[in-house]
Amino acid sequence: MKEQHANSYYAASANLKLDYPQLQGEQQADVCVVGAGITGATTALELAEKGYKVILLEAERVGWGASGRSGGQAIFGWAAEQSTLEKLMGKEDAKIMWDLSVESLAVTKENIKKHNIDCDWQDGQMHVAVKERQVKELNFWHRQLRDDYGYEHLEYWDRDKLSSQLHSPRYLGGMFDPNSGHLHPLNYTLGLVKAAELAGVEIYEESKVTKLTHGNKVTLETAQGKVTCSHVVLACNAYMQGLNSKLESKVMPVGTYICATKPLGEERARELIGNNMAVCDINFVLDYYRCSADHRMLFGGRVSYSGIEPRNLAATMKQRMDWVFPQLADEQVEFAWGGNVGITINRAPHFGRIAPNVYFAQGFSGHGIAATGLAGRMMAESISATSERFDIFEKIPHMPFPGGRLFRTPALVLAMTYYRIRDLL
């Protein structure tokens, strides 16, 4: 029996029911893409549109991982702040990285329009401050992105203006971006996969790659089949386990969780978020939330480094949601679910090659809804034309998580304790 999607609001409201066979026997392709999330689906789609024969392999179901479970917020920039990227690679390359992040939003909107994907896109996203020092951070961030990076969309909102749209007593100010936004992530991913299928991509589910053999022709083996191809794209992110130890060591799977209320009705939903924007705070362990197209509150947060879902997840998430929105105390949670995001030590994206014809993109660090599509486009560009834009990511230094697969979790827990304490100060 096929693995089902997480028991989430997204799965319950999916508007496509896609079903693909397992890989059987020996197959030939120009390109084999591993992982049918946004990254893999975008890569496969763009290459198929350029005339390549593409096979897309998914270990579970298409959209099964973070692409189908996330908070659905498409945001400018990267998880690593621009000041961090400047230190890692210099101001000139950091500026290129910034421009690419803005392009990623345009890629997302372009895909929705071009492929007629029904995924509830909504303009508007807000970063909010919960402490006075964070108000100063947001003001600095606003000035930096406007003056140094030429991003004119941003608006800084003081507490009064923010409270006119966001009806929570928790926040002191915010930075609003009308160019960012939010969507139904599973429906977006399924729409991309269906577009790839229509473009000629061969798609196989329940086809976990167990062995990859390098060469001028690369072979990928699954339990019941094998693909031989000229190029490979690894789009596994937090689910790389066992496929390549060096890539796996650079990314840590971290669990994050979301709950969804029952439908509140449009009037009550607008009483929470007047302009229907997505919101996240700027704590290291952050809260993020938005309202769905059918007027539910989708509230995310919490993290787990053990891979074990917290007990009484729905009650735990509701307690946190009620702290932010006390007016939801009488509302019921209908869905609660989680999934892994792949984080890097420096929170910068980790893109590159492990061989001249084997590409990867991982480590979006919770900032992947838009960036994953850009990664897919750039890997398709690298295979079909030029790798100049993709190669800039290889300038970012990435260290492995200490401790290896067995001991890196305790080490990370100790490090994260520091940031949790800092969030409280």
Side-chain angles (χ1 to χ4, degrees), residues 79-96:
E81 295 181 1
Q82 286 303 122
S83 56
T84 299
L85 293 175
E86 289 177 4
K87 293 175 184 176
L88 291 171
M89 57 195 314
K91 287 189 176 182
E92 183 177 344
D93 287 335
K95 176 62 165 63
I96 296 173

Side-chain angles (χ1 to χ4, degrees), residues 189-389:
T189 306
L190 295 177
L192 289 172
V193 171
K194 185 63 179 178
E197 178 188 2
L198 293 174
V201 176
E202 295 180 27
I203 303 168
Y204 299 96
E205 295 180 311
E206 292 191 308
S207 300
K208 179 180 175 65
V209 175
T210 56
K211 185 178 180 181
L212 189 155
T213 304
H214 294 281
N216 290 331
K217 291 287 187 178
V218 186
T219 59
L220 302 97
E221 298 178 33
T222 69
Q224 300 182 49
K226 181 167 76 172
V227 176
T228 302
C229 58
S230 299
H231 302 274
V232 171
V233 170
L234 300 177
C236 309
N237 201 28
Y239 298 94
M240 185 67 73
Q241 290 88 340
L243 191 55
N244 184 282
S245 59
K246 288 186 178 179
L247 289 187
E248 186 182 347
S249 72
K250 303 291 179 62
V251 169
M252 180 76 177
V254 173
T256 184
Y257 306 95
I258 305 175
C259 69
T261 66
K262 291 186 175 182
L264 306 172
E266 183 173 7
E267 181 178 355
R268 186 135 197 236
R270 294 294 79 78
E271 289 174 353
L272 300 173
I273 307 175
N275 63 354
N276 201 24
M277 61 187 169
V279 181
C280 66
D281 66 38
I282 60 170
N283 279 337
F284 194 82
V285 181
L286 52 81
D287 295 325
Y288 54 91
Y289 51 86
R290 63 192 184 90
C291 289
S292 64
D294 62 349
H295 312 303
R296 302 167 185 263
M297 171 57 67
L298 306 182
F299 190 94
R302 298 294 305 269
V303 291
S304 169
Y305 304 103
S306 67
I308 300 173
E309 185 174 289
R311 294 179 61 187
N312 302 317
L313 179 60
T316 299
M317 295 306 299
K318 177 168 170 52
Q319 183 180 39
R320 183 74 182 182
M321 179 180 69
D322 290 350
W323 187 42
V324 175
F325 292 107
Q327 60 270 51
L328 289 177
D330 61 339
E331 296 292 340
Q332 296 182 3
V333 166
E334 187 170 1
F335 298 95
W337 69 96
N340 289 336
V341 297
I343 65 170
T344 58
I345 284 183
N346 58 20
R347 298 301 186 269
H350 186 211
F351 302 174
R353 300 171 180 81
I354 57 173
N357 55 353
V358 180
Y359 299 78
F360 68 88
Q362 62 179 15
F364 298 94
S365 302
H367 217 80
I369 283 291
T372 44
L374 176 74
R377 173 165 290 185
M378 289 192 301
M379 287 190 286
E381 285 176 1
S382 295
I383 291 168
S384 65
T386 176
S387 61
E388 181 179 357
R389 283 160 31 108

Side-chain angles (χ1 to χ4, degrees), residues 35-42 56 58 61-65 67-68 189 192-193 235 372:
I38 297 172
T39 307
T42 305
L56 178 58
E58 168 55 48
R61 303 295 301 273
V62 294
W64 184 84
S67 295
T189 306
L192 289 172
V193 171
T372 44

